[in-house]
Amino acid sequence: MKSKSLLRPSSRPFQWVRGGVVLVASLLCACASLPPRGQVVMRDVSFPLRDFRMPSGLRVVVEQDRRAPVVAVVTVVGAGGSSDPAGKEGLAHVVEHLAFRSRPAAGGMPAETRQEELGAGHANAFTSLDYTLYQTLAPKESLPDLLKLEGQRLSSPLGGITPEVFAVEREVVRNELRQRNETGFVGQVFSWMHATAYPPEHPYSRPVIGTHESLTALSLQDAQRFARTHYRPENMTLVIAGDVDLAAVEAVLTQNLPASWVGTGAPLAVGTRLPQVPEPPVRPAAATIPEFQAAVVAPELYISWVLPRGFDEASAIHDFVRVNLDKSVWGSQRNDGDIAGFSTHLISGTRASLLVVRVALATGGNPRRSADKVLDQVMETWTQEIHAGEVLGREYDFQSMRRNVVTGMVLESEDLLSRTIRRAELTHFMLDVRGYTRSQMALMSIDGGKMTDFAYKWLQRDRARIIMVRPGEQAGAVAAAPVPLAEDPSTVASARRVTPSMLTALSTPVHVLKLDNGMEVLLAPRPGLPVVRVGAMLGGGSTHGEKEGVAGLVEYGAFRESWFEGHPSHWGLHTGSAMYRDHQRYEVSGTAGNVGNMLAMLTEWLSSTRTSDDVVRYLREQVLPRRKALDQNPEVQAEHAMHQALYGSHPYGRDTTGAQLEQVSLSEAQAWIDDVYRPGNTVVVIAGEFDVKTVEPLVREYLGGWKRGPATAVSTPSAPELPATSSTPRTFVLARPGASQGHLEMACRLPTATPAAEARYALMAELVSRRATHKMRSQTGASYGFGAGTWVARGGAAHLMVDGLVDAQHMAEGAKYIQDMLASFATGLGEEELAQARSRLLAGQAVSYISSAAWVDALLTARRRGFSPEDLANRPAFLQAVSVAALRKEFDDCRKRLVVGVVADEGRARAALQALSAP
C-alpha cells in the first residue's frame, strides 16, 4: 500500500528555471558564427526543480542537472556569527567544526569518517554572519546514504562530543584565527574590519571567528545550548542538485531523513520573506587609521563601506558595484608609488552588507595618502559630467560591464556546487525557490542611472572606514594546550566501495589537432550548458631564460598591443593569465555562441604581446618597492630556500627577486617574449558546449593563422639527477621572532615522473596529508591542518611537499611526527590504508570534472607534464594499479632525501630541528 506523502510539492511540482542570464542573452542578440560587438550569444537552458516544505518546517529544493553522475547536498542553518551570545564570539563556528566529529546516538564513526566511506569527494562547511552552510559533493549512487548522514549529523550536531574533543577542536579554531583561511585573508582581518565599520551594539561588529579571549571562554555546555536553540529543521534549508530522479526523490527523502526532520501532520506554509530592516548604521570614523598586526607578508590597507542587506532582489546591485570598482580603482596606482595591487570583496548579511577594497602596499609608509588616492578614484568612478561625450562613454562602459556580469552568471552556473550554494542561500532567506532566478533577473534589470544613484548614496568618502594591517603577531589570551586524544579506531574509515562513476569521471571524447604552425589544439566537447572555455599554455615560465629575472619582468610588464579583434567586454568574455615556474597560462571564457570571437581574440592577444620602456619604468617605480619588501619576508625566503635545496643549480631551483628584476633590460625582456610567444610552443584546449565540425574551421582560421618562429617548443629542462641519500635530513631555519605559530615544510625529490609514477605520487600525498592532519589537528588541535601535494614539472622533475602551520609549542612534536610517519609508510604501509587513500582520490576525481574549466585545466596539466589525453582518461586505472610494495619503496627513498624548513621563533625552530635527530 502506498503511503500518503508527508511532503507538499510547490504549486508546480516541476519548475523550469531559466537561469535569468540565459533569457536576457537570447534577447540581446541573434545567433551567428561570429557575432558582432555588443552581442552575447547562447542558447536557452533550464533546470527542472521540485520544492518541498515538510511538516517539520524543513525546506527542501531538488534540482536536476544530469551533465555528470554527481550530486551536491547543501544545507543552510539559519544561525551564524551574529547568533553568538555576547562574550562567546566564535561559538557558531566551533559548533560547525564539531558537527564533523559528531556520532550517531548509538555510537559509531564520526560524521567526517562516514562521509568518506560513502564516497564523498568533497565535504566542507563555513560560518557566515547569519548562517552556517554545510556542503558535500559525491557520486550519485551515494545520495540516499548521504541524506541519512546529513539528517543524523544536523539533528544532533554534538552527538558523542566529549569535553576532550571539544577542547581539541577549539584549539583548531584558535589556530585558524592566526592564519590565512580559504579566502586568502588572515582570520582576524575581517573581525577588525567589521568592528571598525559597525557600531559596537550592532551584531555584525563582533568577530564571526571569535577572539583568543572569547574562544577561551567557550565550554561544551555553551555549544550544546547553541545547537539545541538553532539546529532545528524549521531553521534549515536543504538543497540537492545534480543527477537526481525528480520523480523518485520524494521517497528517497522520506526514507532517509530522520522522522523529526520530516514531521507529521499537514505541510507547513512557505512563510514570508525577510522583514524590512532599517538603514544600516555606520560607526563614526576614527581620527586616525587603526593599525593591527597579523601574519601578512607585507602591509595591507582595507577600505570598506556599509551597504544595505543582501539576499534579496535589491541587493543585486551590490555585485554590479563590486565588479565596477574592481576595474576602476586601479587608476589610483598611477598616483601613489606605494600601491602595488587591489582586490574587492562583498560580505553579505541579512541586516547589512560590507563592500571591501583590499589594497596591497609596498611599505605602508603613508597609509592615509594611499587611502585618499583610492577614495579619489572611487569618487571619480561615479562622477557624471554634463557632456554628451561623457554620457555616451558612461553608457558604453555600463553596457560592457552588464555583458560581463551576464556572462559571469552563466559561467558560475556551470559549477554545480557554486550554483547549489547560491540557490540554498537565496532560498533560505528569500523563502522562494525562484529566489535564485529572481536575483539574476534583478541583476540584469539594473541600468546606469540606478547604479550611479546607489553609489552616490552609499559610497561617499565620509562613509568609508579604513584599517591598516602590518606584518607581525597579534597578542591574545591562549588557553592551556588540551591533553592529546588517544587514537580512536572508529575514526579510521574502511575501504569504500568504488562506484562506476568514479572510474568513468575522466571519460570524454578529446579531438587532437596539429596545426601547420606547430600548435597543438585539443577539443573537448561537453554538452549541458552553453559555455565554452579556452585555455592556452606556453612552455617556459618564471624559471625559463638564461638571465634570472627576465621572465619575472615579462610577467609584470607584458601587454597586448593590438586590439583590432576587439575587447573582451564587447562579448562579455572573461579573461585571465598567470605565470608559473615552468609555463604560462591564458584563459578566455564565455558563452558558446561567441567561441569564434574568443579564438580570434586569444590569437591576437598572444601574437601581439610585447613590453615597452614606459611599462618597464612604471614597474621599477611602482612594483619593485613592494617586491623587494616581500623578498625580506621569512615565508618568501623559506620558499626560495626550499626550491634551492630541492633543485640546486637546476632552473627549477631559481626564484626571481626584486634585485634581479631591477637588472633586466627592455631588450632582454622583449627577446624572451619573442622566444616564448610562438605557436609551436603553445598548446590550446577548448572545452564546453560546441560542435567539433563547426569549431575546427575556426581553429584553423584564427589559431592556425598565427605565424611566428619555428614550429617547435622551447627547450624543456630535463629532470635533474636525484640527490644523494642521507640518514639525516637537510634543514634550514628562517626566524620570525615571537611567533605563536610556526610554518613547517618537509619535501623530497621524486624520480622522473611518468603517468604511472604520477599516480603513485598522488597516493603518497593523500596518505601523508590524511595521517598528518589527523594527528596534528584531530588529536592535538595543534594545527588547522596539514597539506601535502606533488609537483610534476615539464621534463618530469617532481617532488613531494608536506606543510602545515603549527602552534609554536607543538613545533618539535610536529616535525618529529612527520619524519617518523614517512619512515612508518616505508615499512608498515598496509593494503587497507592504501585502499582508503585510493578510494578518496577516485571520489575526488569523480566530483571534480563537471565544469569545462576543470577539463581545460586537466588537459593542459597533462600536456605540460608530457602526458597524453589517453593518460588522463586512464588515471583511475593507474591509481588502481599502484601496489603497497611500490609505495613503500617511494617512501623509503623519500625519507632519505628529506629537506626540512621551519619558519618560527628561532628557539622553537631549533628545538624542532633537534627533534629530528632524536632517536
Side-chain angles (χ1 to χ4, degrees):
M1 178 178 176
K2 187 176 181 180
S3 61
K4 184 179 180 180
S5 171
L6 296 177
L7 309 179
R8 186 186 70 175
S10 60
S11 56
R12 290 189 299 164
F14 293 85
Q15 299 180 20
W16 295 90
V17 177
R18 301 182 181 275
V21 293
V22 180
L23 288 175
V24 169
S26 64
L27 296 173
L28 286 176
C29 61
C31 291
S33 59
L34 284 179
R37 286 171 171 81
Q39 295 188 352
V40 179
V41 179
M42 56 185 158
R43 67 168 177 81
D44 199 358
V45 68
S46 59
F47 299 110
L49 295 178
R50 290 196 71 176
D51 176 27
F52 305 103
R53 182 73 168 185
M54 296 186 172
S56 66
L58 176 69
R59 186 68 179 269
V60 181
V61 178
V62 187
E63 175 190 284
Q64 188 179 78
D65 179 356
R66 287 185 159 164
R67 290 175 299 144
V70 175
V71 291
V73 176
V74 172
T75 304
V76 172
V77 182
S82 62
S83 306
D84 292 337
K88 306 285 186 179
E89 289 80 12
L91 181 57
H93 186 214
V94 171
V95 171
E96 170 224 307
H97 277 240
L98 292 170
F100 283 90
R101 305 189 69 165
S102 64
R103 303 167 187 261
M109 293 182 293
E112 59 184 343
T113 307
R114 287 181 286 156
Q115 281 179 321
E116 289 182 10
E117 286 210 327
L118 295 177
H122 168 86
N124 207 346
F126 63 83
T127 303
S128 188
L129 294 168
D130 301 298
Y131 64 98
T132 304
L133 185 142
Y134 296 86
Q135 53 185 278
T136 309
L137 271 175
K140 67 176 184 178
E141 300 92 343
S142 301
L143 180 59
D145 290 331
L146 279 179
L147 289 176
K148 182 175 294 184
L149 169 58
E150 191 76 345
Q152 291 173 346
R153 175 174 62 163
L154 296 182
S155 61
S156 183
L158 300 185
I161 299 296
T162 65
E164 293 77 17
V165 171
F166 175 85
V168 166
E169 203 62 36
R170 183 177 58 185
E171 288 306 300
V172 171
V173 174
R174 196 191 307 280
N175 275 291
E176 183 183 6
L177 179 64
R178 292 192 294 241
Q179 69 187 66
R180 290 184 180 269
N181 54 29
E182 289 84 355
T183 66
F185 296 98
V186 174
Q188 296 160 305
V189 168
F190 280 116
S191 300
W192 297 327
M193 283 193 304
H194 279 248
T196 303
Y198 296 102
E201 66 276 8
H202 197 283
Y204 291 174
S205 69
R206 299 183 294 135
V208 171
I209 196 172
T211 64
H212 288 293
E213 291 78 8
S214 69
L215 292 172
T216 301
L218 298 182
S219 67
L220 178 56
Q221 290 71 30
D222 293 326
Q224 291 167 337
R225 281 191 295 270
F226 187 94
R228 285 194 299 270
T229 301
H230 299 289
Y231 279 65
R232 309 185 314 272
E234 69 270 23
N235 195 34
M236 298 185 190
T237 298
L238 172 65
V239 178
I240 305 162
D243 194 353
V244 183
D245 184 346
L246 292 184
V249 72
E250 184 174 342
V252 176
L253 288 164
T254 55
Q255 291 167 10
N256 292 285
L257 291 177
S260 61
W261 272 38
V262 176
T264 58
L268 299 181
V270 170
T272 58
R273 298 185 192 177
L274 285 171
Q276 293 298 316
V277 294
E279 185 172 300
V282 181
R283 185 170 188 157
T288 59
I289 296 177
E291 295 201 4
F292 305 91
Q293 289 186 325
V296 295
V297 296
E300 297 178 354
L301 196 66
Y302 292 84
I303 306 174
S304 62
W305 292 262
V306 174
L307 306 182
R309 74 165 181 211
F311 306 114
D312 60 16
E313 296 99 319
S315 67
I317 198 169
H318 297 177
D319 290 304
F320 254 101
V321 171
R322 184 193 63 78
V323 170
N324 201 35
L325 273 187
D326 201 29
K327 297 166 59 178
S328 66
V329 294
W330 283 94
S332 60
Q333 191 169 352
R334 295 190 299 267
N335 302 316
D336 186 346
D338 200 36
I339 296 177
F342 301 89
S343 58
T344 59
H345 308 267
L346 182 64
I347 307 168
S348 297
T350 60
R351 299 171 176 90
S353 298
L354 200 68
L355 178 66
V356 180
V357 177
R358 177 190 184 190
V359 187
L361 302 177
T363 65
N366 193 335
R368 172 56 66 183
R369 181 192 64 195
S370 298
D372 285 341
K373 295 299 183 182
V374 175
L375 292 173
D376 289 344
Q377 192 66 37
V378 171
M379 294 305 298
E380 183 179 333
T381 301
W382 312 115
T383 300
Q384 293 283 4
E385 300 290 341
I386 308 302
H387 184 278
E390 288 289 338
V391 172
L392 290 174
R394 293 284 180 177
E395 180 60 23
Y396 179 84
D397 289 344
F398 174 78
Q399 292 299 332
S400 295
M401 186 173 64
R402 178 191 177 103
R403 288 189 291 269
N404 182 270
V405 171
V406 166
T407 306
M409 292 191 313
V410 181
L411 294 173
E412 181 190 49
S413 295
E414 191 193 20
D415 187 305
L416 177 65
L417 185 58
S418 295
R419 189 177 78 237
T420 307
I421 289 172
R422 188 61 178 158
R423 187 182 295 283
E425 293 169 337
L426 292 173
T427 301
H428 184 84
F429 290 112
M430 296 175 71
L431 299 177
D432 184 355
V433 68
R434 294 173 297 276
Y436 180 72
T437 305
R438 283 170 40 210
S439 177
Q440 290 183 328
M441 297 301 291
L443 191 60
M444 290 177 294
S445 69
I446 298 170
D447 57 34
K450 289 179 182 179
M451 192 170 69
T452 300
D453 291 344
F454 179 90
Y456 272 123
K457 179 175 181 179
W458 297 101
L459 297 182
Q460 291 294 335
R461 182 186 295 265
D462 62 357
R463 291 182 60 87
R465 296 296 177 263
I466 308 166
I467 67 169
M468 179 74 179
V469 181
R470 297 186 183 275
E473 292 290 322
Q474 184 72 14
V478 179
V483 176
L485 298 175
E487 183 66 38
D488 181 357
S490 69
T491 61
V492 180
S494 59
R496 298 172 293 182
R497 65 183 186 274
V498 176
T499 65
S501 57
M502 291 183 185
L503 301 179
T504 58
L506 305 185
S507 300
T508 196
V510 177
H511 305 265
V512 181
L513 306 178
K514 192 70 174 181
L515 306 184
D516 292 339
N517 59 10
M519 183 186 297
E520 181 181 78
V521 182
L522 281 63
L523 306 179
R526 301 283 298 169
L529 281 176
V531 169
V532 171
R533 298 180 189 261
V534 181
M537 176 188 68
L538 283 71
S542 63
T543 60
H544 176 71
E546 294 184 5
K547 184 170 184 177
E548 295 187 21
V550 63
L553 186 63
V554 173
E555 177 183 9
Y556 285 109
F559 61 91
R560 172 185 171 184
E561 182 179 30
S562 173
W563 295 88
F564 178 80
E565 295 291 351
H567 192 276
S569 64
H570 296 156
W571 299 276
L573 303 180
H574 290 224
T575 62
S577 63
M579 182 178 287
Y580 300 91
R581 296 184 66 77
D582 62 344
H583 72 288
Q584 285 180 275
R585 291 276 186 101
Y586 286 85
E587 298 176 0
V588 182
S589 303
T591 54
N594 293 91
V595 64
N597 298 108
M598 295 163 67
L599 297 177
M601 187 174 304
L602 176 65
T603 303
E604 184 177 53
W605 189 2
L606 296 177
S607 63
S608 70
T609 292
R610 72 176 188 91
T611 189
S612 70
D613 275 322
D614 290 340
V615 171
V616 171
R617 188 181 310 112
Y618 170 76
L619 291 172
R620 288 175 176 165
E621 294 174 355
Q622 298 284 117
V623 176
L624 281 184
R626 178 176 171 87
R627 185 62 182 263
K628 289 181 177 179
L630 291 177
D631 288 340
Q632 304 307 310
N633 182 268
E635 292 285 354
V636 175
Q637 292 177 344
E639 182 181 4
H640 293 182
M642 180 59 76
H643 292 153
Q644 177 66 30
L646 288 171
Y647 292 100
S649 60
H650 189 273
Y652 293 150
R654 298 177 181 174
D655 280 284
T656 301
T657 65
Q660 291 171 344
L661 286 173
E662 205 166 29
Q663 301 303 314
V664 177
S665 68
L666 172 64
S667 60
E668 289 169 331
Q670 190 60 54
W672 192 96
I673 292 172
D674 293 339
D675 178 41
V676 170
Y677 283 73
R678 61 178 191 252
N681 189 44
T682 305
V683 177
V684 172
V685 174
I686 306 171
E689 187 173 84
F690 60 84
D691 178 63
V692 172
K693 293 181 180 180
T694 301
V695 170
E696 182 174 345
L698 297 173
V699 167
R700 297 190 182 280
E701 178 181 357
Y702 292 107
L703 297 177
W706 179 21
K707 309 292 184 183
R708 179 192 282 177
T712 57
V714 299
S715 59
T716 300
S718 58
E721 292 185 4
L722 292 173
T725 59
S726 173
S727 59
T728 58
R730 289 174 290 160
T731 63
F732 61 86
V733 170
L734 276 301
R736 180 184 284 160
S740 60
Q741 198 176 50
H743 189 184
L744 178 64
E745 290 184 315
M746 293 189 173
C748 65
R749 284 281 315 285
L750 299 169
T752 302
T754 64
E758 186 278 330
R760 292 198 303 274
Y761 302 161
L763 282 166
M764 291 175 71
E766 178 62 29
L767 286 161
V768 170
S769 181
R770 172 56 184 266
R771 204 190 277 187
T773 295
H774 176 69
K775 169 68 175 181
M776 300 308 297
R777 173 177 173 151
S778 299
Q779 287 188 268
T780 68
S783 170
Y784 187 61
F786 266 80
T790 52
W791 186 65
V792 177
R794 293 179 68 240
H799 66 263
L800 171 71
M801 172 68 76
V802 187
D803 76 306
L805 292 166
V806 184
D807 187 273
Q809 58 190 328
H810 289 280
M811 286 297 297
E813 174 190 353
K816 181 63 174 171
Y817 178 78
I818 301 298
Q819 184 186 40
D820 291 346
M821 177 182 61
L822 294 176
S824 71
F825 280 133
T827 58
L829 176 64
E831 294 285 355
E832 180 69 16
E833 191 170 8
L834 171 57
Q836 294 163 16
R838 182 185 291 119
S839 60
R840 288 195 298 270
L841 285 182
L842 288 171
Q845 285 184 171
V847 303
S848 297
Y849 290 85
I850 302 174
S851 68
S852 55
W855 276 96
V856 168
D857 180 69
L859 287 167
L860 286 180
T861 298
R863 297 304 296 129
R864 173 177 65 84
R865 293 171 170 175
F867 304 164
S868 69
E870 291 76 18
D871 291 328
L872 178 63
N874 289 328
R875 193 168 190 259
F878 290 133
L879 289 171
Q880 290 184 303
V882 175
S883 68
V884 166
L887 281 178
R888 284 183 176 181
K889 184 179 186 309
E890 295 286 8
F891 276 115
D892 188 50
D893 292 342
C894 176
R895 70 187 181 90
K896 295 175 183 176
R897 303 190 187 102
L898 198 60
V899 179
V900 181
V902 181
V903 182
D905 182 85
E906 190 161 3
R908 298 284 189 181
R910 297 297 177 190
L913 296 186
Q914 186 177 2
L916 294 179
S917 59

